Amino acid sequence: MKEGPEIARIAALVADPARSAMLLALMDGRALTATELAGVGGITRQTASSHLAKLVEGEVLVVEAQGRHRYFRLAGSHVGALLEALMVFSSDAVPPLRTGPRDLSLRKARICYDHLAGEMGVMLYDRMLEEGWLGRDLDVTDKGWTKLADLGLQQGDLPASNRPLCRACLDWSQRRHHLAGRLGKAVLDRVLALSWARRLPASRVIVFHPEGERRFGEWLR
Amino acid sequence: MKEGPEIARIAALVADPARSAMLLALMDGRALTATELAGVGGITRQTASSHLAKLVEGEVLVVEAQGRHRYFRLAGSHVGALLEALMVFSSDAVPPLRTGPRDLSLRKARICYDHLAGEMGVMLYDRMLEEGWLGRDLDVTDKGWTKLADLGLQQGDLPASNRPLCRACLDWSQRRHHLAGRLGKAVLDRVLALSWARRLPASRVIVFHPEGERRFGEWLR
DNA sequence: GGGATGGTTCGATTAGCGTCGAACCATGAA
DNA sequence: TTCATGGTTCGACGCTAATCGAACCATCCC
């Protein structure tokens, strides 16, 4: 058994092409089955099973058995943060590598684990700080709760957990921060519930409808 | 040649025990020679040379030749951010694993790439936002420049570069943000120059002298 | 029960990579 | 010039880990 820094162990879990492909597929916060993940990794079920066992063992993924299916999802938002930190990196080497339409959509708005990222996510974060809806410790102020109520979010509605209410997450495309944490998730959920935007099926892209984008911007006024 | 997500390539560079040990040793922003890095990695010079070549090739490190020495340092603060993101992870598995005196010092104040991290770093970041020295986009306000002048920092003194003036960096121990970027470096430099604190030789620990800590807190008033 | 599907375990193969010894090049000092 | 030191290149060795075929277990449906 070779000893070394703990970070090497974690990095090694992400270092395999098949595993990293699976992790990226889970970046939208969904839970996928082993067979589906084998598909995105381009490997057989046996191999995927081995990989997934390693990832669960390393506490990068968590698994939930449901009937004969086993659903895998990221172990928490810190995994998402790690993956975005790695993306900052790779897209750094060749700045304007490929900017196809799919790429532009991703930069505009996408889901990062379970919250809003991209231009729209960064705008949300900026305005909440700028307008004083969030305080120094990223705590929600009275003014903030008032505005959130306009969106249909009551303080009591947010599920209690040991996950922080608000966190800042470094944005891959914008190189700035966007809103994460339980509130980040709640806001995205509301935006989707209000049909201001929708998720593209097999991707992380969030598409804002023109009317929805207008209302979102107006709310942030 | 096996193809896969770009992040796997980067993660693989960190995944090796010897390489990650070298990277951690460079986390304080210093530039070390190949032989020194071979030492911290516990490997021979030949092996280290191979590793370092890979890290430079992957743009994780940069190298500067000086005489017959070659000095290696982290390619930028995004590398530091990645490493801290990995540490958040590993120290997460068993929360109160070991809290020796060295660990306590690290949590109190340490150097992260080239800026202040730990409790003191987080406090700095919080107060600058709270007091309005920093604006929404992490731009320095007039009020901020006034306070920075009290510390002996003039706007013109800060070296121009394409590195952002202010950035938020996720803190490994505090799970909150601290001040990074050129200003983060400049503030730490001043704190050291004023002898409010000093660096422990072979570690990332920053030790505040009692009087220095008092003055630092007073400045942040 | 019988068949189909999701998932795991085992074993064998293979490929990649970390490692070091040895030789070699470059720089600086005596 | 000669020697010492920092660093790299080359080649060979050995280990680890990814991969898949085949067999096996569990669950669901008919």
Side-chain angles (χ1 to χ4, degrees), chain B residues 20-102:
Chain B
S20 58
M22 298 190 208
L23 291 174
L24 288 180
L26 293 170
M27 267 296 275
D28 57 5
R30 281 178 310 172
L32 299 181
T33 68
T35 304
E36 288 171 323
L37 288 170
V40 307
I43 51 180
T44 61
R45 286 199 299 269
Q46 313 91 289
T47 308
S49 178
S50 154
H51 284 311
L52 292 170
K54 285 184 172 69
L55 290 171
V56 171
E57 160 73 23
E59 307 195 40
V60 175
L61 296 184
V62 290
V63 61
E64 193 174 347
Q66 217 169 90
R68 58 176 164 180
H69 295 275
R70 299 188 71 198
Y71 287 94
F72 295 86
R73 57 176 216 279
L74 300 189
S77 57
H78 53 300
V79 182
L82 170 61
L83 294 177
E84 286 256 336
L86 281 165
M87 287 190 241
V88 165
F89 231 87
S90 42
S91 71
D92 205 15
V94 187
L97 185 57
R98 39 181 171 164
T99 24
R102 184 174 154 280

Side-chain angles (χ1 to χ4, degrees), chain A residues 6-213:
Chain A
E6 192 69 9
I7 66 168
R9 239 177 41 79
I10 305 295
L13 289 174
V14 189
D16 181 81
R19 282 198 293 262
S20 59
M22 297 190 209
L23 290 174
L24 287 181
L26 293 170
M27 267 296 275
D28 57 5
R30 281 179 309 172
L32 299 181
T33 68
T35 303
E36 288 170 324
L37 288 169
V40 307
I43 50 179
T44 62
R45 285 198 299 269
Q46 312 92 289
T47 308
S49 177
S50 154
H51 284 311
L52 292 169
K54 286 185 172 70
L55 290 171
V56 170
E57 160 72 23
E59 307 196 39
V60 175
L61 295 184
V62 290
V63 61
E64 194 174 346
Q66 216 168 90
R68 59 177 164 179
H69 295 275
R70 299 189 71 199
Y71 286 94
F72 295 86
R73 56 177 217 279
L74 301 189
S77 57
H78 53 299
V79 182
L82 170 62
L83 294 176
E84 286 257 334
L86 280 165
M87 287 190 240
V88 166
F89 232 88
S90 42
S91 71
D92 206 14
V94 187
L97 185 56
R98 40 180 171 166
T99 24
R102 184 174 154 281
D103 220 55
L104 286 180
S105 303
L106 270 179
R107 286 171 197 278
K108 170 91 177 184
R110 67 178 177 280
I111 193 169
C112 170
Y113 184 54
D114 61 4
H115 50 268
L116 190 62
E119 287 173 32
M120 301 298 279
V122 170
M123 180 172 86
L124 169 66
Y125 181 73
D126 282 350
R127 301 306 291 255
M128 291 188 76
L129 278 178
E130 182 181 8
E131 300 288 337
W133 305 358
L134 294 180
R136 42 152 190 158
D137 285 345
L138 293 187
D139 55 314
V140 181
T141 61
D142 290 341
K143 191 174 172 189
W145 284 119
T146 304
K147 289 299 290 187
L148 287 169
D150 293 348
L151 203 67
L153 276 176
Q154 310 297 334
Q155 187 162 3
D157 292 345
L158 290 174
S161 94
N162 53 1
R163 181 178 173 197
L165 183 62
C166 293
R167 258 193 19 85
C169 181
L170 184 57
D171 197 279
W172 149 62
S173 54
Q174 298 293 103
R175 301 293 197 89
R176 303 244 307 278
H177 287 86
H178 58 244
L179 181 68
R182 278 181 296 144
L183 185 59
K185 169 178 165 53
V187 169
L188 175 58
D189 287 348
R190 281 306 292 163
V191 164
L192 294 176
L194 290 169
S195 289
W196 287 0
R198 66 192 169 84
R199 293 181 44 184
L200 283 194
S203 89
R204 295 171 60 196
V205 173
I206 302 275
V207 181
F208 271 79
H209 308 123
E211 175 66 12
E213 184 166 351

Side-chain angles (χ1 to χ4, degrees), chain B:
Chain B
M1 178 80 94
K2 195 180 302 181
E3 276 307 317
E6 192 69 8
I7 66 167
R9 239 177 41 79
I10 305 296
L13 290 174
V14 189
D16 180 80
R19 282 198 293 261
S20 58
M22 298 190 208
L23 291 174
L24 288 180
L26 293 170
M27 267 296 275
D28 57 5
R30 281 178 310 172
L32 299 181
T33 68
T35 304
E36 288 171 323
L37 288 170
V40 307
I43 51 180
T44 61
R45 286 199 299 269
Q46 313 91 289
T47 308
S49 178
S50 154
H51 284 311
L52 292 170
K54 285 184 172 69
L55 290 171
V56 171
E57 160 73 23
E59 307 195 40
V60 175
L61 296 184
V62 290
V63 61
E64 193 174 347
Q66 217 169 90
R68 58 176 164 180
H69 295 275
R70 299 188 71 198
Y71 287 94
F72 295 86
R73 57 176 216 279
L74 300 189
S77 57
H78 53 300
V79 182
L82 170 61
L83 294 177
E84 286 256 336
L86 281 165
M87 287 190 241
V88 165
F89 231 87
S90 42
S91 71
D92 205 15
V94 187
L97 185 57
R98 39 181 171 164
T99 24
R102 184 174 154 280
D103 218 56
L104 286 180
S105 303
L106 270 179
R107 285 170 196 279
K108 170 90 177 184
R110 66 178 179 280
I111 193 169
C112 170
Y113 184 54
D114 61 4
H115 51 267
L116 190 62
E119 286 172 33
M120 301 298 280
V122 170
M123 181 171 86
L124 169 66
Y125 180 73
D126 281 350
R127 301 305 291 254
M128 291 189 77
L129 277 179
E130 183 181 9
E131 300 288 338
W133 304 0
L134 295 180
R136 42 153 190 156
D137 284 344
L138 292 187
D139 55 314
V140 181
T141 61
D142 291 341
K143 193 174 172 189
W145 284 119
T146 304
K147 289 300 288 187
L148 287 168
D150 292 348
L151 202 66
L153 276 176
Q154 308 297 333
Q155 188 162 2
D157 292 345
L158 290 174
S161 93
N162 54 2
R163 180 180 175 198
L165 184 62
C166 294
R167 259 196 14 87
C169 180
L170 184 57
D171 196 279
W172 149 62
S173 55
Q174 297 293 102
R175 304 293 198 87
R176 303 243 307 276
H177 287 86
H178 58 246
L179 181 69
R182 279 180 295 145
L183 184 59
K185 169 177 165 56
V187 168
L188 175 59
D189 287 347
R190 281 304 292 163
V191 164
L192 294 176
L194 289 168
S195 288
W196 288 0
R198 65 190 170 84
R199 293 182 44 184
L200 284 194
S203 88
R204 297 171 59 197
V205 173
I206 303 275
V207 181
F208 271 79
H209 309 123
E211 174 65 12
E213 182 167 352
R214 196 186 60 71
R215 292 212 189 178
F216 186 67
E218 198 168 274
W219 174 63
L220 286 175
R221 240 351 27 259

